[in-house]
Amino acid sequence: MPRPPQSRRPVVPTPLVPAALLLAAGIALGRYAPVPLVWWLMSAAVAWLAGVSGLAKGGSLTGPRVAMGLALLTLGACLGQLAWSAVPTRTLAAYVPGRSAPLATLTGRVVSQPEIRPPPDAFFAAYERPYQTVLLLEADTVSTLSGPAPCEGLVRLRIEGPAWELEPGQRVRVCGRLYRPGPPGNPGQYDWRAHARRSRVLVNAVAEAPEAVEVLSGPGPVRAAWWHLRSQARQHLQTEADYTGTLVLRAIVLGDRPAGLDALNQAMLRAGVAHFLSISGLHLGVLLAGLYLLLRLGQVAPTTAAWAVLGLLGAFLLVAEPRVPLLRASLMAGAFCLAVASGRRATTANLLAGAAIFLLSAQPLELFGAGFQLSFGIVAGLLVLHRPVQDVLFGHWLRRRGLMVFRDDDRVRRWLWHTGLTFFAGLISVSVAAWLAAAPLVAYHFGLFTPFAALATLVLFPLVALVLLVGYAQLAVGWLAPSLAAGLGGPLAALVAAMSWLAEALAQVPGTAIPLRPVPAWAAALLLGALLAATQGHRVRLGRAWLAVGLLAGVALVVALTQGTAPTVREAQLWVLDVRQGNCLALRTPSGRVVLFDAGSLSGFEPDSAVLAPFLRHACWPAPAAAFVSHANSDHYNALPALLERVGLAEAFVNETFGTEAQCGLGGELLLRQFDAAGTRVRRLTRGQCVRLDVDTTATVLWPPPRSAGYDLPLTNDTSLVLRLECRGQTVLIPGDIEELPQRLLTELAGDELRADVLILPHHGGYTPALAEFLSAVDPAIVVRSSAYLRGGAAEGVQALTVHRRFYATNSHGAIRLTLGPEGVEVTTMRRE
């Protein structure tokens, strides 16, 4: 059937769209282009004057428009460069030189709601950790040798323990260590230093106990009233389930981001519905659209309804977390209400561009954040992609509907073809368009491809909408009728539990989240450009076949350039990863097999998701095939449970007593159970055994001796596997955490077997009286220490022993790559000391 000619829609002017695009491009240019600020300022002034003079002369507007566009572009460059490089004259960061962590006393004002975080899972922590309190502090003085000195800057303060008495607006004095966020220590790891620059929080502080924080004064009356209002809103928002259900409710309704929801957030991210767990335009739209619909059903005039919605929006912003998606939606909704109230016409594209201009002018570096890009990118994608997607999916049915004639008594079919088809076609098209717009950005920021995200959104949306509606109702009646609000806790608990269960079930569906190799920014931009060209190609009279070919060609090009595996090399690569207090070594043999030698950390983060998984993804290595666990201290294995759940493991090698030592608790035994559940074959090793990793690579066990040898090894550290790794004539000694007794015995027993080109220092570089003799027996050219910062005599003693050798430490060099080739061992590090 030939397609009927489409009527042309009237062209609505959108002057703010090019202005927003030019401002964003200018901010990116100022951030990355090495041009002095004065040149940007001079260029902006010249372009502005040229535009003004062109307008004054009259005639063609092309020249003045180009000049104004250049002025806006260079002005954005000024904003971007200033936001990235400019710091206050009395910045607190100046008192924290380099990578030091000086002890200091700060005074300042609490500017965020203190968040009390529960300790991590005991299985990962290895020892009991206290609750932590995290907040933002606006510092005004810092202690120096000459006394208190004025300063400026935000500080992210972590208190080891629950500080229940702290409230926003209080002025406090804090005694703790200051440090500046460092660059990533491992390939692929999240760059917290760049994050700190973007958020303008250049200094972190750690207080060892709540008693290290002294409250000097309370907040002012206005600030106290505001934070009291926010606190009351959260108290009224409760479920009858456990506290996790209440946290989920507050995250959805008010935008809180408590650490207790990390697991659920990861599950929803894998399912492609993470936007439901953080407040966004969808959540605000449900609230405002619901109120506007109720008012219109009540015969309230549109102007009056718009003013009422604007008032509700202002009240809601007082209690919600002001995050970028919410601010974007609030600016658009507020401008739309003002347009309706004043009788003017508002276009969504202009509202979106205006919100972008406002937010980027206030915080230019938000442009590089995932929240900003996803929030604005998805809405822009809906504007551009919704109609083309609907035409592809439902165009045939919509055109057929226009040719159908219904009898008067055929009301059901008429409703299905008109109201039903319009609703479901719009809902499905919006979900698919949002998924298409978000997919390149999700791949770039999170390294995931979620092919079923649109379907998961449709499945989960009814439950989320119900949670929002009941939650907003509870929030509204909580001040007037607390008993009625409490009565809504039961239905809310059931809805939140059903939503969480469904999200976790969707995340477990095979193929829901496909992990990707690193997707660079240019690849994401190319995908978005190909998608835009494919959906807007009708403007240049290209057929659908050519558009589909162009889109598939763009996708294939990006996949070919970014998703291949690392090329096979002749040499083996051994990475000593920076896990701070722990040990994690990853080997890729010449045949491409990946083997781990310990994988754990005591530093309070989950080492698989924070270090190991990003490294493997960035290096384009396959999943590990085997892992050696030296002994049953969790800083050598607590990354493996997450690895087993994520990709599995074929083989594991442990010592003869692993999982049986009473002094190590249940950690080793639990790990063995997880190996058994995952189908991992476990082999126990003793001195003299040799494991062939591939044709060129072997691992020989030098310690511990079998139990039958009669050695008394009461310390778990002394039972560590000592492995001599050999590949292409190069050797690396990996001694685990052996201490003085095994070091002396190995020096006597092993002889020349102990010699190696590279030594990974035992027990993270801990000093023992036998270390000098042990080091002399190994006689390495290269010495590596895997540890956090060491202070005092132990660090000085170890460095004195290695003064005539090449010494590397993960705490200063970051991850260390040892390339084992026929010509020798080549060392490269993640960063300079």
Side-chain angles (χ1 to χ4, degrees):
M1 179 183 299
R3 296 178 61 184
Q6 296 182 353
S7 60
R8 293 185 177 180
R9 290 186 297 164
V11 177
V12 180
T14 54
L16 295 181
V17 172
L21 293 175
L22 286 169
L23 182 63
I27 291 172
L29 196 63
R31 162 67 180 86
Y32 293 107
V35 178
L37 179 63
V38 63
W39 289 102
W40 291 126
L41 291 172
M42 291 176 60
S43 301
V46 170
W48 180 264
L49 291 175
V52 171
S53 62
L55 290 175
K57 292 178 180 178
S60 175
L61 295 178
T62 303
R65 285 176 177 174
V66 172
M68 289 297 185
L70 289 175
L72 191 57
L73 181 73
T74 50
L75 181 61
C78 294
L79 291 175
Q81 191 172 107
L82 281 172
W84 181 257
S85 58
V87 293
T89 305
R90 299 180 299 182
T91 178
L92 177 62
Y95 296 92
V96 191
R99 293 179 60 80
S100 61
L103 187 65
T105 300
L106 291 176
T107 59
R109 193 168 296 278
V110 179
V111 294
S112 71
Q113 180 68 43
E115 179 186 353
I116 298 178
R117 298 180 175 179
D121 193 325
F123 184 77
F124 296 108
Y127 56 87
E128 186 176 356
R129 292 178 178 271
Y131 280 76
Q132 292 181 344
T133 306
V134 179
L135 55 91
L136 280 181
L137 185 72
E138 187 176 14
D140 51 43
T141 62
V142 59
S143 61
T144 64
L145 292 177
S146 58
C151 64
E152 299 177 49
L154 291 173
V155 181
R156 183 179 181 272
L157 174 62
R158 186 180 83 240
I159 305 168
E160 298 293 336
W164 302 105
E165 73 283 358
L166 292 183
E167 296 178 357
Q170 291 176 334
R171 194 165 184 272
V172 298
R173 180 186 292 116
V174 182
C175 181
R177 290 198 175 274
L178 309 181
Y179 65 96
R180 294 162 65 177
N186 303 281
Q189 195 171 12
Y190 187 76
D191 192 346
W192 287 105
R193 183 171 66 174
H195 176 84
R197 293 286 290 274
R198 290 198 304 268
S199 58
R200 311 301 293 172
V201 185
L202 302 181
V203 177
N204 293 347
V206 178
E208 296 299 330
E211 291 75 16
V213 182
E214 177 187 0
V215 178
L216 301 178
S217 63
V222 176
R223 191 187 297 265
W226 178 35
W227 285 102
H228 178 73
L229 180 66
R230 289 169 58 91
S231 176
Q232 286 293 311
R234 281 150 182 79
Q235 290 180 14
H236 291 313
L237 208 58
Q238 300 280 349
T239 68
E240 290 185 359
D242 57 6
Y243 190 58
T244 302
T246 298
L247 294 181
V248 173
L249 183 63
R250 293 177 182 176
I252 292 177
V253 176
L254 297 176
D256 291 350
R257 288 187 181 178
L261 298 182
D262 288 345
L264 179 60
N265 186 61
Q266 288 298 319
M268 298 185 78
L269 179 63
R270 292 193 300 272
V273 292
H275 53 284
F276 283 148
L277 197 57
S278 59
I279 195 164
S280 64
L282 174 66
H283 303 66
L284 188 63
V286 170
L287 172 64
L288 301 183
L291 176 63
Y292 188 80
L293 180 62
L294 287 176
L295 293 175
R296 294 294 293 133
L297 290 175
Q299 303 297 315
V300 177
T303 301
T304 306
W307 284 114
V309 169
L310 191 62
L312 175 65
L313 175 62
F316 182 72
L317 288 177
L318 289 176
V319 298
E321 287 295 320
R323 306 193 186 280
V324 169
L326 177 63
L327 294 178
R328 188 266 309 158
S330 301
L331 289 170
M332 293 180 65
F336 181 79
C337 290
L338 291 175
V340 172
S342 60
R344 295 180 177 273
R345 184 177 181 181
T347 62
T348 306
N350 255 343
L351 295 177
L352 181 66
I357 292 172
F358 182 87
L359 291 177
L360 290 178
S361 300
Q363 292 288 342
L365 297 181
E366 286 290 350
L367 176 67
F368 307 104
F372 183 94
Q373 293 180 14
L374 285 169
S375 179
F376 281 88
I378 290 175
V379 177
L382 291 177
L383 295 178
V384 175
L385 303 177
H386 173 233
R387 287 188 177 276
V389 169
Q390 183 173 271
D391 184 56
V392 170
L393 297 179
F394 301 98
H396 171 75
W397 303 101
L398 293 174
R399 289 188 294 271
R400 182 180 176 185
R401 179 184 66 181
L403 301 176
M404 297 178 69
V405 178
F406 300 94
R407 294 179 302 180
D408 293 340
D409 59 345
D410 205 356
R411 297 179 181 177
V412 175
R413 291 185 64 232
R414 182 189 297 113
W415 184 91
L416 289 175
W417 277 96
H418 285 274
T419 305
L421 179 59
T422 300
F423 175 77
F424 286 106
L427 184 62
I428 295 174
S429 300
V430 165
S431 298
V432 173
W435 171 71
L436 288 173
L441 296 173
V442 171
Y444 168 64
H445 286 287
F446 304 109
L448 289 175
F449 176 60
T450 52
F452 306 131
L455 179 60
T457 298
L458 291 174
V459 171
L460 205 58
F461 175 72
L463 274 174
V464 175
L466 286 174
V467 171
L468 286 171
L469 291 174
V470 180
Y472 289 138
Q474 187 185 59
L475 187 64
V477 303
W479 279 280
L480 301 177
S483 299
L484 178 59
L488 295 175
L492 274 173
L495 289 172
V496 168
M499 186 197 73
S500 302
W501 176 86
L502 184 57
E504 292 175 349
L506 290 172
Q508 299 301 320
V509 175
T512 298
I514 301 174
L516 302 175
R517 305 298 187 191
V519 177
W522 65 263
L526 180 60
L527 287 174
L528 290 172
L531 182 62
L532 181 64
T535 55
Q536 301 300 312
H538 64 277
R539 300 182 184 273
V540 292
R541 301 183 182 279
L542 288 176
R544 286 187 177 180
W546 286 107
L547 298 176
V549 168
L551 179 59
L552 292 176
V555 173
L557 179 63
V558 169
V559 171
L561 294 177
T562 64
Q563 299 306 303
T565 57
T568 303
V569 294
R570 294 186 303 113
E571 299 84 4
Q573 288 187 1
L574 178 65
W575 281 86
V576 184
L577 300 179
D578 178 16
V579 289
R580 292 190 279 185
Q581 301 178 48
N583 212 41
C584 184
L585 285 72
L587 169 73
R588 178 169 177 167
T589 66
S591 64
R593 195 166 186 247
V594 176
V595 180
L596 301 178
F597 296 88
D598 288 338
S601 175
L602 292 185
S603 296
F605 54 80
E606 207 286 291
D608 179 66
S609 61
V611 176
L612 185 56
F615 165 75
L616 294 173
R617 172 174 168 258
H618 183 273
C620 300
W621 285 7
F628 290 81
V629 183
S630 61
H631 62 294
N633 281 344
S634 66
D635 59 327
H636 290 253
Y637 66 77
N638 59 15
L640 294 180
L643 177 72
L644 289 171
E645 183 179 354
R646 183 166 55 85
V647 295
L649 195 66
E651 287 184 296
F653 302 92
V654 300
N655 61 39
E656 197 176 19
T657 60
F658 188 91
T660 63
E661 305 96 328
Q663 65 268 33
C664 286
L666 296 176
E669 183 180 349
L670 289 175
L671 183 63
L672 292 177
R673 293 178 186 173
Q674 293 192 0
F675 281 149
D676 183 63
T680 302
R681 186 166 65 98
V682 179
R683 289 181 56 188
R684 295 185 179 272
L685 302 177
T686 57
R687 173 177 167 77
Q689 292 180 288
C690 181
V691 180
R692 182 165 292 279
L693 304 179
D694 70 357
V695 176
D696 301 299
T697 313
T698 59
T700 304
V701 184
L702 304 183
W703 188 267
R707 288 183 177 179
S708 57
Y711 287 90
D712 183 19
L713 301 174
L715 298 179
T716 302
N717 284 345
D718 290 343
T719 66
S720 297
L721 289 175
V722 178
L723 303 172
R724 186 175 187 267
L725 181 68
E726 184 172 0
C727 181
R728 299 286 177 86
Q730 311 303 321
T731 54
V732 180
L733 190 68
I734 308 173
D737 278 359
I738 59 169
E739 300 193 41
E740 183 177 2
L741 177 61
Q743 290 175 22
R744 293 191 184 279
L745 292 175
L746 273 171
T747 303
E748 299 172 2
L749 296 175
D752 290 340
E753 287 183 335
L754 206 58
R755 293 191 176 274
D757 301 300
V758 181
L759 170 65
I760 311 298
L761 280 174
H763 203 185
H764 316 289
Y767 182 80
T768 68
L771 183 60
E773 187 177 355
F774 179 77
L775 190 64
S776 177
V778 179
D779 194 24
I782 300 169
V783 178
V784 177
R785 185 183 72 205
S786 173
S787 70
Y789 285 97
L790 298 180
R791 298 184 178 89
E796 296 173 0
V798 170
Q799 291 180 0
L801 294 176
T802 60
V803 68
H804 297 300
R805 309 178 193 274
R806 296 165 62 188
F807 177 76
Y808 301 91
T810 57
N811 64 289
S812 55
H813 295 93
I816 300 161
R817 184 180 68 182
L818 306 168
T819 303
L820 313 178
E823 296 79 16
V825 180
E826 178 185 351
V827 183
T828 56
T829 61
M830 183 70 182
R831 58 175 180 250
R832 295 182 178 180
E833 186 172 358

